[in-house]
């Protein structure tokens, strides 16, 4: 039983990371119908940024965190401006391929700049554990869970109670109509990319003490976050988090209870089953083209 | 003789009754028009007939046969072809290819034969082509054979959609607002073609139309619809004189 | 400019539309047949890879370019073909049996993947194919009794009815060429008949296709099955060319390379698949060559412009360090994908057509002829 809870908690922590990456997918997808395959790599870049600020420049953890997130937000905007805006409105698969290309590019460049060794940083959560009875919970994992909850509350408030948030929701309902209503769609979209890259950066920073910082970490986790986003229904923000949690928990439990090998494919099997049973995920709207 | 009968059909989207217990029948060789304000449920009726939507209740009969449960891709084979309100052509293909897709329900060749392009396939292809050429001739589309749809003007596309429907040699053709977006001249042509479709090709026409001049010019019978319910039916002048219809259009 | 006067419906059915094509493709075929006798073994071997990539490219062209169903799982189909060949060959099954068996088996698996695809569009389908490919990869790594797991599997020399066909021989080259030409012909035949048009219809409007009598389910499954079967055949050739196969050869990255083939070449015709294959296979040796030559060249240019000798040497060192950095290839691949999608959306073949049209229409060429249409309504979300 104790094992089970232990596994459950690490599954939830992992799931939060997936959820955060998936959240980035969903934000961008909802607003622009672009599926950003490089979302995991944005997370990876966030990790490297924080390594640069903390590990190399010796800044304080929180300051480094802040800088990394801001840096990534700017990077997200630049990506939108340079790569995505010119091809917006073209077939979805072209855009998907463009972001796959971006991912490839970022991975290699990160490898060339920061090397291909595993990097570590010291964080306030690196070592400590929380003991509840016999249960031992590592601080780094708990920090991920807590941070995810905080981030979700902030995003929720932003989308529901600010003007910009409302504009974003309008844009994601119908870009053209929003534009006609005088919403600065271009600015909104670039802000969405900024937010989504910033969320990815948070995930990257939170993950840094748990796994190493490495140029391939984004690919590996990004490909797990995908099933998460799909499981939740690609257009749904709470869905992304729930999907992330499901995938994280499944992976963690499968790794513990099932023979070797299942851990890596269990999320995909669940995904395929899900797609067959409910093609639009748990919370996704099923829309049909009207003729 | 009734070619096609709709019997008490209803369609519900969540709380919205898009079609509410509608019944009518279309006789062979008739031009039957459905009119109604926007959102009345006209297109929904077409979508029910071509089986894109499942009715909440009610039945559809074609040539005496119950077609309520027929899968959508079999409807064309029965002899019902349609056009779409917002043009659903195959944009990145030539007009010829589009019209040949209209022949799909008459395709007889198997995939393996096609891969080897056996003489039987070639023969079938030529037969399809001959039929398509007849339609091209009929609707005066000679100039566009090898043109991509994506580059053609709206009015031409509208005609091509009718052509594609005709290529399947239907017994009943459903035209969803054939004149919407056309200029006066093109609408004129369309009204002649609609009459020719009936008189020369012997195809029964069921159409949805807003342009009352066109409706008056071609229809034998008219059915008026509002909020999914039948308001009136009869000859064009009868329906237009009906107080409920006037009320619906004037919004009173 | 050539005007083709049509007097016969056959003229629109023919694959080679007029005599000019007979000449150009005849010459091309003659050159390809003569190639092994003229080229060194390295280039011949590269050509074999071009053929294999082109076969997969044709498969993807049918599925993605014509039916509009994206797939990032074609490496898995290649793997299934390759492993079927390896396994059956090691059990003494002759080539003429296991070659078609591999095709059929891969086709069946492809059809199975096609079934969930019936209800999936766009991004959901891409992700489903990725998931499928991961599962196949894992199965290959774990099903040790058949696949030898991560250790990989040796594939013996191909034996064609008693005649050995070693991987570097001219006969292997001709076998691959034959399979490529065969697939191209089959594909072209299919695309000029009702099935091919049904594929295009599904790509452009599922609703209209349905009402024109196209059974979406059947044709999507068919498209997946054909595409997979062709890829399976390529897999057999691939296995024999590599002589050794292991799960880590068939990863997502290989699937992406295959997609690159049709993005770079252009997804809407056989020409595209082949041009793309040439590009993808040749880019590697090209980059290697650049890596050696560019630093030297840059240094000599720099010093001829009056740079000090030691500074030039430093530049050369720096450049060659960048060149030999581990990730450079990935970065360049990424750049290529992005550049093509941004600037050359119709691929190399599209560029060729534009150039051709430019000269044909010379003073009258309009740039807008090839302008892409953008749609800002949420088209793909509610299909
Ligand atoms: N797929 C759908 N989901 C939800 N509601 C729908 C759907 N299709 C149609 N409706 C609703 O059903 C009602 C009838 O729509 P329909 O398209 O049949 O109208 P119409 O009579 O063709 O109008 P118009 O003249 O504008 O073409 C409308 O209120 C429409 O919003
Ligand atoms: Mg309508």
């Amino acid at each position: 039983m104790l094992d089970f809870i232990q596994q459950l908690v690490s599954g939830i922590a992992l799931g939060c990371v997936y959820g955060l990456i998936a959240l980035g997918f969903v934000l961008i997808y909802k607003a622009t119908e672009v599926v950003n395959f490089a979302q995991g790599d944005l997370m990876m870049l966030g990790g490297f940024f924080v390594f640069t600020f903390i590990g190399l420049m010796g800044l304080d953890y929180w300051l480094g965190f802040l800088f990394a997130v801001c840096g990534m937000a700017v990077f997200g905007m630049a990506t939108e401006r340079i790569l995505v805006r010119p091809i917006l409105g073209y077939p979805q698969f072209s855009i998907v391929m463009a972001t796959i290309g971006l991912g490839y590019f970022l991975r290699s460049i990160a490898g060339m700049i920061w090397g291909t060794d595993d990097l570590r940083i010291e964080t306030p959560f690196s070592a400590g554990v929380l003991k509840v009875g016999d249960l031992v919970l590592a601080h780094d994992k708990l920090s991920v869970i807590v941070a995810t909850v905080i981030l979700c509350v902030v995003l929720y408030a932003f989308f529901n109670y600010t003007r910009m948030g409302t504009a974003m929701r309008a844009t994601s309902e119908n870009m053209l109509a929003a534009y006609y209503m005088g919403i600065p769609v271009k600015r909104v979209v670039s802000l969405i990319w900024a937010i989504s890259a910033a969320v990815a950066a948070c995930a990257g920073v939170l993950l840094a003490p748990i796994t190493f910082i490495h140029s391939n970490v984004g690919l590996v986790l990004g490909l797990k976050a995908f099933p998460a986003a799909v499981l939740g229904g690609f257009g749904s923000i709470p869905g992304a988090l729930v999907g992330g949690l499901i995938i994280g928990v499944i992976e963690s439990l499968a790794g513990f209870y099932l023979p070797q090998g299942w851990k890596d494919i269990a999320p995909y099997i669940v995904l395929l089953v899900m797609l067959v049973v409910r093609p639009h995920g748990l919370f996704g709207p099923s829309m049909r083209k009207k003729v | 003789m009734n070619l096609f009968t709709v019997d008490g059909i209803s369609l519900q989207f969540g709380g919205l009754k898009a079609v509410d217990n509608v019944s009518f029948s279309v006789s062979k060789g008739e031009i039957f028009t459905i009119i109604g304000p926007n959102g009345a449920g006209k297109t929904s009726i077409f979508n029910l007939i071509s089986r894109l939507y499942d009715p909440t209740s009610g039945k559809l009969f074609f040539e005496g046969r119950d077609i309520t449960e027929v899968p959508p891709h079999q409807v064309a084979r029965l002899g019902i072809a349609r056009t779409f309100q917002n043009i659903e052509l195959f944009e990145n293909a030539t007009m010829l290819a589009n019209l040949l897709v209209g022949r799909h329900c008459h395709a007889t060749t198997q995939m393996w034969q096609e891969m080897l392009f056996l003489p039987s396939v070639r023969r079938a292809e030529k037969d399809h082509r001959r039929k398509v050429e007849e339609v091209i001739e009929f609707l005066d589309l000679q100039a566009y054979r090898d043109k991509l749809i994506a580059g053609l003007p709206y009015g031409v596309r509208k005609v091509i959609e009718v052509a594609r429907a005709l290529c399947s040699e239907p017994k009943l053709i459903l035209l969803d607002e054939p004149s919407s977006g056309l200029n006066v001249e093109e609408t004129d042509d369309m009204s002649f073609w609609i009459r020719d479709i009936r008189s020369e090709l012997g195809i029964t026409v069921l159409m949805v139309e807003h342009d009352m001049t066109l409706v008056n010019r071609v229809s034998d019978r008219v059915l008026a619809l509002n909020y999914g319910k039948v308001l009136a039916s009869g000859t064009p002048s009868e329906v237009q004189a009906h107080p409920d219809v006037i009320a619906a259009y004037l919004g009173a | 400019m050539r005007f083709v006067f049509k007097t016969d419906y056959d003229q629109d059915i023919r694959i080679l539309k007029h005599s000019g094509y007979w000449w150009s493709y005849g010459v091309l075929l003659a050159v390809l047949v003569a190639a092994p006798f003229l080229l060194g073994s390295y280039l011949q071997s590269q050509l074999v890879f071009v053929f294999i990539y082109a076969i997969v490219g044709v498969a993807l062209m049918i599925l993605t370019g014509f039916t509009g169903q994206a797939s990032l799982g074609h490496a898995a189909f290649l793997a299934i073909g390759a492993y079927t060949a390896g396994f059956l060959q090691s059990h003494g099954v002759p080539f003429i049996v296991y070659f078609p068996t591999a095709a059929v088996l891969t086709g069946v698996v492809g059809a199975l993947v096609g079934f969930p695809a019936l209800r999936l569009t766009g991004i959901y389908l891409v992700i489903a194919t990725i998931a499928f490919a991961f599962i196949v990869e894992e199965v290959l790594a774990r099903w040790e009794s058949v696949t030898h797991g991560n250790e990989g599997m040796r594939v013996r020399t191909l034996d064609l009815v008693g005649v050995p066909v070693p991987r570097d021989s001219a006969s292997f080259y001709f076998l691959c060429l034959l399979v490529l030409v065969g697939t191209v012909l089959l594909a072209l035949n299919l695309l000029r008949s009702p099935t091919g048009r049904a594929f295009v219809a599904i790509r452009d409007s599922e609703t209209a296709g349905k009402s024109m009598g196209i059974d979406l389910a059947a044709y999507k499954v068919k498209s997946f099955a054909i595409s997979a079967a062709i890829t399976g055949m390529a897999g057999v050739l691939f296995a024999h060319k590599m002589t050794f196969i292991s799960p880590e050869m068939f990863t997502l990255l290989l699937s992406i390379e295959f997609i690159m083939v049709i993005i770079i070449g252009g997804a809407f015709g056989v020409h595209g698949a082949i041009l793309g294959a040439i590009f993808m296979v040749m880019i590697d040796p090209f980059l290697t060559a650049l890596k050696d030559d560019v630093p030297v060249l840059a240094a000599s240019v720099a010093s001829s412009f009056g740079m000090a000798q030691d500074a030039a040497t430093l530049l050369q060192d720096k450049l060659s360090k960048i060149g030999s950095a581990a990730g450079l290839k990935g970065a360049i691949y990424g750049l290529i994908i992005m550049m093509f999608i941004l600037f050359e959306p119709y691929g190399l073949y599209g560029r060729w057509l534009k150039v051709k049209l430019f000269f044909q229409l010379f003073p009258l060429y309009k740039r807008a002829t090839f302008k892409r249409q953008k749609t800002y309504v949420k088209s793909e979300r509610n299909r």
Side-chain angles (χ1 to χ4, degrees), chain A residues 288-291, chain B residues 13 16 18 36-45 47 53 85 176-177 208 210:
Chain A
R288 277 206 296 199
K289 180 162 142 186
K290 277 192 211 167
V291 285
Chain B
F13 292 114
L16 173 81
N38 292 112
K42 306 177 296 293
T43 303
S44 301
I45 291 184
N47 287 344
Y53 295 155
Q85 185 170 351
D176 199 345
E177 307 201 3
V208 165
H210 280 297

Side-chain angles (χ1 to χ4, degrees), chain C residues 334-355:
Chain C
L335 264 185
I336 290 174
I337 301 179
M338 289 189 281
M339 291 300 147
F340 266 91
I341 288 176
L342 280 173
F343 302 116
E344 207 65 270
Y346 295 106
L348 292 174
Y349 187 58
R351 169 54 51 191
W352 160 244
L353 288 182
K354 283 179 213 174
V355 170

Side-chain angles (χ1 to χ4, degrees), chain B residues 16-42:
Chain B
L16 173 81
K17 280 204 161 156
V19 178
D20 191 359
N21 197 17
V22 170
S23 305
F24 62 90
S25 40
V26 183
S27 326
K28 199 164 178 176
E30 196 176 21
I31 298 181
F32 190 101
T33 307
I34 302 177
I35 60 169
N38 292 112
K42 306 177 296 293

Side-chain angles (χ1 to χ4, degrees), chain A residues 8-78:
Chain A
L8 201 64
V9 173
S10 27
I12 290 174
L14 194 61
C16 285
V17 174
Y18 293 157
L20 287 179
I21 304 175
L23 195 68
F25 286 137
V26 171
L27 285 175
I28 292 176
Y29 179 77
K30 265 183 86 92
T32 56
E33 215 169 273
V34 169
V35 179
N36 178 21
F37 260 76
Q39 193 68 28
D41 299 297
L42 293 180
M43 183 205 80
M44 170 272 295
L45 217 53
F48 275 117
F49 275 22
V50 87
F51 171 78
T52 312
F53 291 129
I54 298 171
L56 296 181
M57 293 165 61
L59 291 184
D60 172 55
Y61 176 76
W62 295 105
L63 205 59
F65 197 147
L66 185 72
F67 280 4
V69 169
C70 294
M72 281 311 294
V74 172
F75 187 87
M77 273 190 188

